[in-house]
Structures are given as structure tokens and as C-alpha cells.
Amino acid sequence: MLLGIDVSKWQGEMDWQRAADAGAKFAFIRAGSISIGGILYTDYHYMRNVSLAPDHMPIGLYWYFRPQHSPIAQAEYFFDLIDGEDWEIPPVADIENDGGLSPAAYADSVTAFVERLENLTGK
């Protein structure tokens, strides 16, 4: 088994050495999200985590996706945050709800996000 961690503002200030010493071999760091009201934002601890974690383990970056809001705007904001950062694991979306959309609209939103992000990152 390969131990990895998922971090965001909810963990507070991470002790990356302690995480590595505890056996974490990689981390996914939340870059940001969009509020229920539609405001794009950067995770409070993103800049700290993305600057410190690569000294201790490979990282991937993720976006908390809300399908009821523009998938293109979310993909572009996410890309602007992660472009030029030291991620070794391709970026991903954390998709936990359907945003009240029909299955078809939900699938279209997720597909649009992923395709735009793939186009921007080449991954």
C-alpha cells in the first residue's frame, strides 16, 4: 500500500516533515474552488503548501469542482494557480456533488472542465 495525503485549509498549517516521517509518499494539495455563490477562490493554505511540500514528497494539485458553475472559468482559474508549480502528479478535480444538475448536464459540466484543463496543461 502506498500512503498519500489530501490537504486543504481544513488541515491548517501542515508539518510536511512530520507527514513524510509518518510515511506519506505523496500529497494532493487543494488549489482552490468556487463558492456556492459562484466566487472563484484560492485555498487559504495553497501557497504555503505548494511551496513547502515538494521538499518532502511528490505532489499533485486538485480543484474542488462545483458543476453548477462555469466549468471553463473553473478550469482556467485552476490552471492559472498551478501553472509553473512543481507538481509531479497530474492535476485532478474533486467532484463530490451534482450541483442539482440533471445527469446529462452534470456529465457535460465535468467533461467541459476536464477537456479545458487537459487542453491547458497538456495532461
Side-chain angles (χ1 to χ4, degrees), residues 49-110:
N49 287 332
V50 80
S51 68
L52 297 177
D55 291 339
H56 302 278
M57 64 191 68
I59 65 166
L61 305 171
Y62 77 94
W63 179 261
Y64 186 90
F65 183 72
R66 294 188 191 273
Q68 69 271 35
H69 296 294
S70 169
I72 303 304
Q74 290 183 76
E76 290 175 352
Y77 189 94
F78 181 32
F79 176 74
D80 287 345
L81 289 174
I82 69 173
D83 187 34
E85 295 298 348
D86 189 20
W87 46 272
E88 295 180 49
I89 305 167
V92 298
D94 178 0
I95 305 168
E96 298 185 18
N97 65 71
D98 64 12
L101 302 177
S102 70
Y106 172 69
D108 288 346
S109 184
V110 171

Side-chain angles (χ1 to χ4, degrees), residues 17-38:
Q17 184 61 57
R18 185 174 176 197
D21 291 347
K25 301 298 184 201
F26 67 93
F28 273 100
I29 298 169
R30 185 173 88 152
S33 186
I34 188 167
S35 70
I36 292 171

